[in-house]
Amino acid sequence: MNGEVVTKLSRYITDELLVKRGVEVTDGTPLMDGLIDSLGIQRLVAFIEEEFDVMLDHSDMIPENFTTVRALEGLVQRKLGGAAASESATG
Amino acid sequence: MPIAEEFLERLRTHTDLRAGYAEEFLHPTLGGAGTVAVLSRPLGPSRPVAFVLCHSLGQEFVHLSRFDTTIARTMSVAGFPVLRYHGQGYGDSERGASDISLTSHLTDATDAVALLSGQEGIETVGTMGARFGGLVAAVVAARERLPFVATWEPVTKGAQYMRNFVWTRLFAEWAGTVEGAGVDELLETLETTGQADIKGFLLTKRAYDEISAIDLSRELSRFAGTALVVAIARGENPGPGLVRLAEGFRALGATCDLEVLQDDLAAEFGNFHFKTSEMAKVDTQFELNQAIADLTASWALRHVDATFAAGEDGRA
């Protein structure tokens, strides 16, 4: 796991998105069990794209990618890997 | 029964003596067709700069209408006339929802700038807007070389905004608030019929494609005026997109203030923001709206006075 990605995601979710404040978010905390609402998911998607400079597409929009910080980190890493692979292929 | 035209004429204006503003109801042509607009003016001395308030897209137009009113009145009380209007496809405009696009928003706003520029006592015009309206305000300010622009949580990347717009149904399904989101079906409908209903808003394929293609950072190559970017967040940090936008403004030689307004319900900005209790229906963003308006008026007073004290005419 990439510690920096996990830290950024955890901090953003804790600071901005929790429906109820005061919950400790670890990399395994279930996010979709009422911890984040639909407006929060919208903001989370925008944050991921802007912070990590990746673009999510329709195929990324499955609940499994958003269940925990660990799952989100995996999504970010795949997108970053995909972007790097695409750059090296064209460059 | 004869029409009491004098009486009706009196209803074209509304004056709030206690707050210190007056509003005139207009029926201008914007975007090539008739619509309605409201020009708010100070009752006291008016400053030489006025603002066009660009509204947002789709449901955000509805959810932010009260916010727009608060902004217009607060700015007027501070001495700045503000023109707000219904763009084509919205409210009381002549055209239908299928005519709404990025082009229609930009054309309406550009025409509104021309309309406001021709009003008595107004020397210079700036633009302002929230969310998608912020993107429109910034693009028009850059293209028309306007000296002032204020944006609140502006959309910076059209593609991200459109994808999120479509995905709202999906997110609501995940959160358990709706069933049967059917995003694939919705996208297929958009592709095959040229339009789709998204939370009651008729999104056309043309609007989807046009908005998806716009990136604010590429559109600002000419802006060298004074900008305000307001982030609305729970925490003290603005989102990375707004940080980049402010840096982009400064790289062009513009003056840009990036401000963060903290609010627990920040995510609701631009969304439904009423809560019904046993006693009443409460606007959960009433205080936030006023705080944003006060911050914006303070920014305008500071920068407009500095610009005109320096003997500049305000053109960027």
Side-chain angles (χ1 to χ4, degrees):
Chain A
M1 269 203 305
N2 182 312
E4 192 187 351
V5 173
V6 169
T7 303
K8 284 180 176 176
L9 287 167
S10 302
R11 185 177 300 154
Y12 183 74
I13 291 167
T14 303
D15 289 351
E16 295 289 338
L17 305 182
L18 293 180
V19 172
K20 282 184 184 169
R21 293 256 203 180
V23 177
E24 190 192 348
V25 177
T26 66
D27 59 353
T29 305
L31 302 174
M32 306 301 285
D33 294 350
L35 225 54
I36 302 178
D37 62 14
S38 60
L39 295 179
I41 302 171
Q42 255 181 281
R43 281 178 86 109
L44 179 59
V45 167
F47 173 79
I48 289 172
E49 293 197 332
E50 288 165 357
E51 182 64 39
F52 303 108
D53 203 16
V54 296
M55 196 172 104
L56 304 185
D57 56 42
H58 300 306
S59 63
D60 298 316
M61 291 299 118
I62 52 174
E64 291 75 22
N65 282 335
F66 291 79
T67 51
T68 60
V69 169
R70 197 182 304 130
L72 287 165
E73 190 258 355
L75 172 65
V76 170
Q77 294 297 354
R78 286 196 297 281
K79 300 308 286 189
L80 287 171
S86 157
E87 264 175 37
S88 63
T90 54
Chain B
M1 199 169 114
I3 296 171
E5 291 194 14
E6 203 176 304
F7 173 72
L8 289 175
E9 195 61 34
R10 280 207 306 275
L11 295 179
R12 286 176 69 93
T13 61
H14 156 70
T15 302
D16 189 327
L17 290 170
R18 200 163 57 174
Y21 66 84
E23 291 183 325
E24 182 184 357
F25 303 96
L26 310 174
H27 187 214
T29 295
L30 301 178
T35 188
V36 295
V38 177
L39 176 59
S40 305
R41 281 181 182 271
L43 285 180
S46 188
R47 290 171 189 275
V49 178
F51 288 90
V52 165
L53 185 41
C54 308
H55 66 68
S56 196
L57 180 90
Q59 291 296 332
E60 283 185 355
F61 160 75
V62 178
H63 297 318
L64 289 165
S65 64
R66 190 70 206 160
F67 169 77
D68 287 350
T69 304
T70 304
I71 289 285
R73 291 177 178 171
T74 303
M75 290 295 291
S76 291
V77 171
F80 302 96
V82 173
L83 180 73
R84 57 201 153 96
Y85 56 91
H86 286 176
Q88 291 304 326
Y90 295 90
D92 290 292
S93 67
E94 279 180 15
R95 296 214 170 114
S98 59
D99 286 320
I100 295 171
S101 64
L102 174 63
T103 300
S104 77
H105 272 262
L106 294 174
T107 306
D108 295 336
T110 305
D111 289 354
V113 168
L115 172 70
L116 188 56
S117 300
Q119 299 290 312
E120 192 185 337
I122 292 169
E123 293 177 25
T124 303
V125 173
T127 50
M128 32 182 46
R131 302 287 298 133
F132 184 73
L135 179 144
V136 171
V139 171
V140 170
R143 289 184 182 175
E144 300 297 312
R145 294 178 183 266
L146 304 179
F148 299 102
V149 62
T151 63
W152 310 286
E153 272 295 317
V155 169
T156 56
K157 290 185 176 172
Q160 181 187 77
Y161 182 64
M162 275 294 97
R163 278 179 291 122
N164 241 330
F165 200 81
V166 171
W167 291 340
T168 50
R169 282 185 16 172
L170 191 64
F171 300 151
E173 184 191 29
W174 292 357
T177 52
V178 298
E179 287 181 3
V183 168
D184 288 342
E185 187 188 337
L186 190 147
L187 288 168
E188 195 184 323
T189 304
L190 191 63
E191 196 64 46
T192 54
T193 69
Q195 58 188 42
D197 180 328
I198 300 188
K199 290 171 80 179
F201 175 70
L202 185 75
L203 178 69
T204 64
K205 177 78 167 57
R206 180 187 170 214
Y208 183 88
D209 290 342
E210 247 192 343
I211 295 168
S212 294
I214 193 163
D215 184 332
L216 193 49
S217 62
R218 288 201 306 266
E219 292 289 329
L220 296 179
S221 56
R222 285 191 298 195
F223 186 81
T226 301
L228 171 67
V229 177
V230 177
I232 296 144
R234 267 188 180 180
E236 56 190 20
N237 298 313
L242 298 192
V243 172
R244 274 203 283 273
L245 175 63
E247 286 168 355
F249 272 127
R250 290 173 193 137
L252 293 170
T255 301
C256 181
D257 291 2
L258 173 59
E259 304 274 1
V260 180
L261 264 176
Q262 290 183 254
D263 189 274
D264 250 13
L265 299 174
E268 289 185 8
F269 187 70
N271 289 289
F272 186 79
H273 51 93
F274 291 98
K275 195 165 67 182
T276 306
S277 71
E278 283 179 16
M279 301 296 288
K281 188 175 179 184
V282 178
D283 181 349
T284 59
Q285 298 208 329
F286 180 82
E287 288 173 1
L288 174 65
N289 289 352
Q290 193 57 59
I292 297 170
D294 291 341
L295 183 150
T296 306
S298 163
W299 164 84
L301 285 168
R302 202 164 60 243
H303 288 287
V304 166
D305 285 353
T307 300
F308 282 82
E312 298 168 26
D313 70 355
R315 297 301 285 188

